Amino acid sequence: MTLLDKLFEIKEDLEAIGLIMTRDFESYFCTPLQAVIFAHSGTDGIHYCIVKNDKELHESPVYIVSPSMSDNYVELVGRNLVDFLSLVVKCKDAVTLECISYTSEI
């Protein structure tokens, strides 16, 4: 069983941190090609996807897609699924990661 499969098993608990797990979320015009959408936020079409690289799916980068952010539709939010989940837990809410697009560097 993969890590992603395990997340789908505990999906109710993940909603508390802004991850609504889904296997059938429709992609948007700005969703990367070959993306595997695994969750959404429930608002504004924001969704989370893995874009498979040469490695296994759970080792591929995770992106947040925000169709309403015209300058930055897609942002990298994790080197892999574990990295992404660590960041979500640290931030206490997945939707917080959308702010990456318009937060200036310090």
Side-chain angles (χ1 to χ4, degrees):
M1 180 178 288
T2 68
L3 176 58
L4 198 52
D5 291 330
K6 290 178 184 179
L7 291 175
F8 279 108
E9 284 187 0
I10 60 168
K11 66 182 181 180
E12 290 82 19
D13 295 333
L14 295 173
E15 288 185 24
I17 57 173
L19 288 175
I20 301 170
M21 301 300 291
T22 183
R23 293 186 191 266
D24 59 354
F25 192 83
E26 195 169 317
S27 63
Y28 278 68
F29 66 96
C30 53
T31 304
L33 299 175
Q34 309 301 321
V36 175
I37 300 171
F38 65 91
H40 65 95
S41 69
T43 60
D44 297 331
I46 298 169
H47 55 285
Y48 307 90
C49 62
I50 299 171
V51 178
K52 191 167 180 334
N53 58 18
D54 299 343
K55 301 177 183 180
E56 296 295 319
L57 191 63
H58 70 276
E59 296 176 1
S60 298
V62 178
Y63 295 86
I64 184 171
V65 180
S66 182
S68 62
M69 293 297 296
S70 60
D71 291 335
N72 299 81
Y73 295 121
V74 181
E75 291 288 336
L76 177 67
V77 289
R79 293 174 300 204
N80 54 45
L81 197 50
V82 171
D83 189 44
F84 166 72
L85 292 171
S86 298
L87 187 57
V88 170
V89 170
K90 179 72 174 171
C91 292
K92 297 180 178 52
D93 193 339
V95 178
T96 304
L97 301 177
E98 184 192 20
C99 300
I100 291 171
S101 300
Y102 49 87
T103 302
S104 62
E105 291 184 34
I106 298 176

